[in-house]
Amino acid sequence: MALGRTLAVALVGLVGHVVEVEAHLAPSLPAFALVGLPDASLAESRDRVRAAVTSSGLAWPNRRITVNLSPATLPKSGSVFDLGIAVATLAGADVVPAQAVAGVVHLGELGLDGRLRPVRGVLPAVAAAVAAGHDRVVVPTANLAEARLVPGAQVRGAGSLAEVVAWYGADVEVPEVSAAGELVTAPRPATERLDLADVVGQAAARRSLEVAAAGGHHLLMVGPPGAGKTMLAARLPGLLPDLDEGEAVEVTAVHSVAGTFDPHGGLLRRPPFEDPHHTATPASIVGGGSGLPRPGAASRAHRGVLFLDEAPEFTTAVLQTLRQPLEHGELVLHRAAGTARYPARFQLVLAANPCPCGHAWGKGLDCTCRSEQRRRYFGKLSGPLLDRVDLQVELAPARAGDLPGESSAVVARRVQEARAAQSARLAGTPWRTNAEVPGAWLRDRLGGGRALLSDLDRAIDRGTLSLRGVDRVLRVAWTLADLEGREAPGRGHVGQALLMRTRGQGA
């Protein structure tokens, strides 16, 4: 009996599971069986591996080969197992020493000519291997920079299968090949830092944007075309502080799995910005794809901003799928092949016209929409969705006399100070910003100032505020206090937060 073993990693969402790749070679009629819950793309590795081995100048074993991916109950997908299957098979055929490859993690897709092609999700896969005690990893050359971002990993990059087996002592000629191919998906270009000073006027909207940045709150902007909604939303990432080490690893892992990460720039340190078109499908927003789903725009915006321009133009299905991540900061995607979890703690920014034609502002004399058209248009933004949006502001058209406001650098300094105050207050808790903190915890921190909640009680009685809305108003009030350097909010902060949420209806 000939048996070869090596290791690989299966990703389910962002969670990596170390997989033992076993190749059993029996003296029987030549055959190749792959077991262990492979999907269609993984099942095709049989042909890729056979062609890659023979193209590398190695003899293919003419025996019955059974490759098992253990644990067999874990769904496995993709071409990342190609290299592991090839190495385990060659170990079983005594081409490479079985003991030398048994504890090494091999990741990579094989071309028919034996070249190693890059794969997605190398960062979380290598991190999972190191966490499980397997620090020796072999990856394609194109993934080497990404794999080296994981502390404690001993990573080697190879351009071909022949190069890998030559390391283990096989007598094979190593071809001179460059990095095999590009990344699976081209990385997104770095976004330009946009300055808030470019926005003319709109003092109320600028203030709401600052509060949103300081506390991590969601924001809705309603106004006519050309009022500056898109300009303001695009400048929100410039007000946010850099990601800390833990957040950077989280965000980078998501983009690695999505295939939008350029490893040559290191970990992603700036909050991401996603602005999908209103024709986007639910799968493109929350994640989808055949087999186990891949992250969508909501997960790629983790620790950053998800901007939905012309929000009422999005389908109702897309808007309703956002309720789970807005509440829990995580997306749980159930598919027949398994369940994937992706982090999705983003800041949602919605921009909308007041009506389909966009002219129903002020007295609305220029509006050509019928009343039922207006109701149907804004009705896309359902009550349960808007109840999760902390800040709601109306914009008027800019006037000729309006002046530019403060620059992003000035506002970002105030945001940084407010975030520092929150970090000190929330030290030892699982929360990082006011927007994440349960209302009960914030109410307990008020101490003798609980009487200032009377305004919120009256808003509940009038029906302008829900119980969830009370907690969100209180979170905004704490953010306003942090921006002013106060230890706790006062009644003025609560009143201002109520106005910023209800657009003046709850005063």
Side-chain angles (χ1 to χ4, degrees):
M1 180 183 71
L3 185 65
R5 290 189 177 93
T6 190
L7 301 174
V9 177
L11 286 177
V12 181
L14 290 187
V15 180
H17 303 269
V18 175
V19 172
E20 186 177 44
V21 183
E22 303 173 297
H24 177 262
L25 282 68
S28 180
L29 291 176
F32 195 137
L34 181 62
V35 297
L37 284 186
D39 71 346
S41 62
L42 178 51
E44 293 170 351
S45 67
R46 294 174 295 187
D47 300 313
R48 291 194 299 270
V49 169
R50 183 186 293 109
V53 168
T54 56
S55 297
S56 299
L58 299 167
W60 180 254
N62 286 320
R63 285 179 273 179
R64 178 175 179 81
I65 302 171
T66 303
V67 175
N68 178 46
L69 305 177
S70 178
T73 56
L74 178 71
K76 304 166 191 73
S77 62
S79 57
V80 68
F81 297 93
D82 286 4
L83 181 58
I85 293 172
V87 169
T89 301
L90 294 175
D94 292 327
V95 176
V96 297
Q99 293 299 321
V101 303
V104 182
V105 176
H106 294 88
L107 307 172
E109 175 185 333
L110 287 172
L112 299 183
D113 57 356
R115 290 186 301 164
L116 269 178
R117 303 182 182 278
V119 290
R120 296 179 177 181
V122 164
L123 178 69
V126 174
V130 172
H134 307 288
D135 56 357
R136 292 183 296 160
V137 185
V138 177
V139 299
T141 302
N143 289 129
L144 183 59
E146 180 179 348
R148 283 178 172 167
L149 294 174
V150 179
Q154 302 178 34
V155 186
R156 297 189 70 172
S160 66
L161 174 62
E163 185 176 353
V164 174
V165 297
W167 292 341
Y168 297 119
D171 184 13
V172 62
E173 181 180 352
V174 179
E176 293 185 4
V177 295
S178 59
E182 301 295 331
L183 294 175
V184 179
T185 303
R188 296 185 56 173
T191 56
E192 180 186 357
R193 285 284 189 96
L194 303 175
D195 201 318
L196 197 57
D198 299 334
V199 181
V200 175
Q202 304 298 359
R206 292 170 59 94
R207 175 62 171 168
S208 296
L209 200 71
E210 179 179 345
V211 174
H217 304 288
H218 308 305
L219 173 64
L220 166 67
M221 294 181 287
V222 180
K229 304 185 294 294
T230 303
M231 288 185 67
L232 286 162
R235 283 151 179 79
L236 177 56
L239 305 182
L240 301 175
D242 289 341
L243 304 175
D244 63 27
E245 192 71 22
E247 293 171 337
V249 171
E250 274 186 337
V251 172
T252 304
V254 172
H255 285 257
S256 174
V257 174
T260 57
F261 170 55
D262 182 2
H264 300 289
L267 295 175
L268 297 176
R269 298 289 182 178
R270 290 298 304 157
F273 179 76
E274 293 285 334
D275 54 344
H277 192 261
H278 64 260
T279 57
T281 63
S284 69
I285 299 296
V286 301
S290 60
L292 289 174
R294 297 200 178 275
S299 292
R300 296 196 303 271
H302 179 58
R303 300 296 178 190
V305 178
L306 177 64
F307 175 47
L308 302 187
D309 200 5
E310 304 293 343
E313 298 293 344
F314 283 80
T315 64
T316 302
V318 167
L319 296 173
Q320 294 307 312
T321 56
L322 296 176
R323 289 165 58 178
Q324 183 193 49
L326 287 179
E327 198 69 29
H328 303 293
E330 182 184 48
L331 276 164
V332 184
L333 306 176
H334 297 271
R335 298 293 186 271
T339 300
R341 292 178 178 270
Y342 291 111
R345 191 166 292 284
F346 53 82
Q347 286 185 248
L348 178 65
V349 178
L350 304 171
N353 293 326
C355 67
C357 77
H359 298 296
W361 55 271
K363 295 184 179 180
L365 299 179
D366 296 328
C367 178
T368 59
C369 303
R370 298 188 301 274
S371 59
E372 66 272 14
Q373 288 178 309
R374 296 185 191 180
R375 289 194 300 270
R376 189 183 310 115
Y377 175 78
F378 228 84
K380 287 282 193 70
L381 303 180
S382 65
L385 177 63
L386 291 181
D387 201 36
R388 291 169 168 83
V389 178
D390 305 340
L391 303 168
Q392 303 178 22
V393 60
E394 293 184 349
L395 285 73
R399 298 180 180 179
D402 289 341
L403 299 175
E406 295 173 314
S407 67
S408 291
V410 174
V411 178
R413 281 195 293 271
R414 292 199 296 267
V415 169
Q416 182 67 44
E417 293 171 359
R419 288 285 183 108
Q422 292 168 52
S423 296
R425 184 170 61 249
L426 300 176
T429 72
W431 314 302
R432 306 188 186 201
T433 61
N434 288 333
E436 303 173 29
V437 183
W441 192 90
L442 291 177
R443 283 192 291 272
D444 292 341
R445 299 280 296 187
L446 289 176
R450 294 178 64 89
L452 56 83
L453 300 178
S454 58
D455 290 340
L456 302 182
D457 294 336
R458 285 193 292 271
I460 293 176
D461 293 338
R462 286 195 297 268
T464 57
L465 205 61
S466 67
L467 291 176
R468 179 193 289 118
V470 169
D471 289 346
R472 294 189 174 271
V473 168
L474 197 54
R475 293 168 185 166
V476 174
W478 276 95
T479 300
L480 293 170
D482 290 333
L483 286 169
E484 295 182 7
R486 304 293 182 85
E487 293 185 359
R491 187 171 183 180
H493 298 122
V494 173
Q496 186 179 353
L498 183 58
L499 288 172
M500 296 177 80
R501 176 179 175 82
T502 60
R503 288 183 277 166
Q505 301 172 32

